[in-house]
Amino acid sequence: MQTVLKADNIKVQYGGLIAVNNVSLSLTKGQVLGLIGPNGAGKSTLFNAITGFTPVASGKVTFLDKDVTRLPPYVRTRNGMGRTFQTERPYEDLTVLENVLVAAFLKNPKRKDAERVALSSLEKVGLLDRANQLSSDLNLARLRRLELAKALALEPQVLFLDEIMAGLNPPALKEMITFVRTLTATGMSIVMVEHIMEAIIQLADHVVVLASGNKIAEGSARDVINDEKVIEAYLGTD
């Protein structure tokens, strides 16, 4: 199976604080990799280092056989990375379609092509009927779907989902899991940072667990949630 993403010994340091300590992971084509851990574990920092939003002190990120460690985020995006963000920041004075068009134009400078990609992305996340609605009128669940549509409009080789399930009520969570599962059925490679274990168990083929910036376990979702080191990291010791 082709390896599409590899992070080797990634270290992120802020002064004397080591936020990510020599963590390695890899992703194969069509795989869903879950990245979990308690608050402050370093998940989002590692995620941002891989996607180019946080500089690394040492280590290497290889994407589609290219060293992208020092490349800025927009170049990584052009090369095939697409990501969502924890905090939704839509252009509130633009429609849902116009928000997605902003992303689609990155790889499709012609309006006709960009609109085709944007509409397809909205259809995949169930927002096609909201295309002409202002994004400021969307509720949380639909804003999360808009984030996903914007990432899909980048036509990524690997999709990075940053806590896209957080805060959703049970029906909205079920819908989002269904949307992501539909993407995996097409062979999309996905890295997801997530606190919602239901989503990890249902979607992830492989899980990496961080605690205090260190990788403490990896394996199937069922295996890692029963790992003593993982239980201790989440619940502490007596």
Side-chain angles (χ1 to χ4, degrees), residues 59-87:
K60 181 180 180 181
V61 179
T62 305
F63 180 64
L64 301 178
D65 297 323
K66 297 178 181 177
D67 183 353
V68 299
T69 312
R70 305 299 171 188
L71 296 182
Y74 77 91
V75 177
R76 300 188 202 203
T77 300
R78 286 188 184 278
N79 287 344
M81 290 187 181
R83 66 163 293 176
T84 65
F85 293 86
Q86 284 186 30
T87 304

Side-chain angles (χ1 to χ4, degrees), residues 34-55:
L35 190 58
I36 68 171
N39 289 333
K43 305 181 299 296
S44 291
T45 303
L46 176 60
F47 195 88
N48 288 334
I50 292 172
T51 54
F53 289 85
T54 295

Side-chain angles (χ1 to χ4, degrees), residues 63-207:
F63 180 64
L64 301 178
D65 297 323
K66 297 178 181 177
D67 183 353
V68 299
T69 312
R70 305 299 171 188
L71 296 182
Y74 77 91
V75 177
R76 300 188 202 203
T77 300
R78 286 188 184 278
N79 287 344
M81 290 187 181
R83 66 163 293 176
T84 65
F85 293 86
Q86 284 186 30
T87 304
E88 305 81 21
R89 294 178 181 173
Y91 298 103
E92 294 186 346
D93 56 340
L94 298 182
T95 67
V96 169
L97 174 58
E98 288 167 341
N99 267 270
V100 182
L101 275 172
V102 172
F105 275 127
L106 184 68
K107 289 187 177 178
N108 296 277
K110 294 183 178 179
R111 170 81 186 207
K112 182 179 179 181
D113 294 335
E115 193 163 290
R116 172 183 51 79
V117 170
L119 290 171
S120 174
S121 299
L122 288 174
E123 184 175 20
K124 289 173 183 175
V125 302
L127 281 181
L128 192 57
D129 61 338
R130 305 274 175 173
N132 296 316
Q133 182 176 340
L134 285 176
S135 63
S136 57
D137 293 335
L138 298 181
N139 61 21
L140 175 62
R142 292 192 179 107
L143 282 172
R144 290 287 169 78
R145 286 194 257 163
L146 177 58
E147 270 293 297
L148 181 55
K150 287 158 61 179
L152 291 174
L154 297 169
E155 300 178 290
Q157 297 289 318
V158 175
L159 180 64
F160 294 81
L161 303 178
D162 195 357
E163 297 194 28
I164 200 166
M165 315 280 181
L168 298 181
N169 61 32
L173 175 62
K174 184 177 180 180
E175 277 189 329
M176 185 62 80
I177 289 174
T178 299
F179 291 137
V180 176
R181 184 180 286 118
T182 301
L183 296 175
T184 65
T186 68
M188 175 77 73
S189 305
I190 297 174
V191 179
M192 56 188 299
V193 172
E194 194 53 68
H195 278 292
I196 309 298
M197 289 307 299
E198 179 183 351
I200 290 292
I201 290 170
Q202 291 196 42
L203 295 170
D205 302 306
H206 191 78
V207 179

